[in-house]
Amino acid sequence: MADVLKQVQAEMHRYVARIQSEQEPDGSWRYDFENGPMTDAGMLLLSALGPEDPELTQRLARRLIRQQAPGGEWKLYDDDGGHLSSTIEAYTSLLLTGRMERNAPEMKRAEAYILRHGGVAKAPVS
């Protein structure tokens, strides 16, 4: 049992040392935070309601557009066939914040996906 405890403690010390080595001079850590399209869409909408930050909204919009699948949908997972609620939220946030026009090819593909899957009425509330 003592050997296992020593191994666990050694591993903990290794992780702490690694994390400490990645700390920025100002005391913070800066890691990428990957999330789904619903978080980006929500942040895009919230950023439009708060103090204007065109750089942030543009970065969120570009990231959201990059996440769109070729069929027009946004996915929660790489291997799913698309997620209706995520697609509606992404579409709505891009449209309402003025980051995409309704007639843009990306928006047309999203709209077609939404309609093919029953429209807003078929989207589960999440």
Side-chain angles (χ1 to χ4, degrees):
M1 184 70 167
D3 287 340
V4 171
L5 181 58
K6 284 181 183 179
Q7 289 175 340
V8 168
Q9 288 175 332
E11 195 65 13
M12 287 172 49
H13 289 296
R14 190 175 69 77
Y15 278 120
V16 168
R18 182 177 143 224
I19 290 169
Q20 287 173 334
S21 75
E22 294 171 349
Q23 189 172 22
E24 297 291 330
D26 67 1
S28 67
W29 285 269
R30 294 189 178 93
Y31 296 113
D32 290 333
F33 179 66
E34 286 297 320
N35 55 8
M38 294 173 95
T39 303
D40 287 347
M43 285 301 300
L44 185 57
L45 284 171
L46 285 175
S47 69
L49 297 174
E52 191 166 331
D53 187 345
E55 182 185 339
L56 174 62
T57 58
Q58 185 61 33
R59 286 175 46 209
L60 285 167
R62 278 196 306 262
R63 178 180 154 92
L64 199 53
I65 293 163
R66 278 194 316 268
Q67 291 175 337
Q68 187 182 30
E73 72 277 13
W74 276 268
K75 300 177 176 190
L76 290 182
Y77 307 100
D78 289 337
D79 62 349
D80 74 21
H83 189 257
L84 184 57
S85 291
S86 295
T87 302
I88 291 168
E89 287 187 33
Y91 177 93
T92 302
S93 68
L94 290 166
L95 185 64
L96 291 180
T97 59
R99 292 298 168 181
M100 294 290 286
E101 296 292 327
R102 189 171 183 189
N103 61 356
E106 296 88 352
M107 299 296 271
K108 289 291 192 183
R109 287 195 314 270
E111 188 175 327
Y113 175 86
I114 292 166
L115 293 174
R116 272 193 321 272
H117 290 84
V120 174
K122 294 289 184 178
V125 178
S126 42

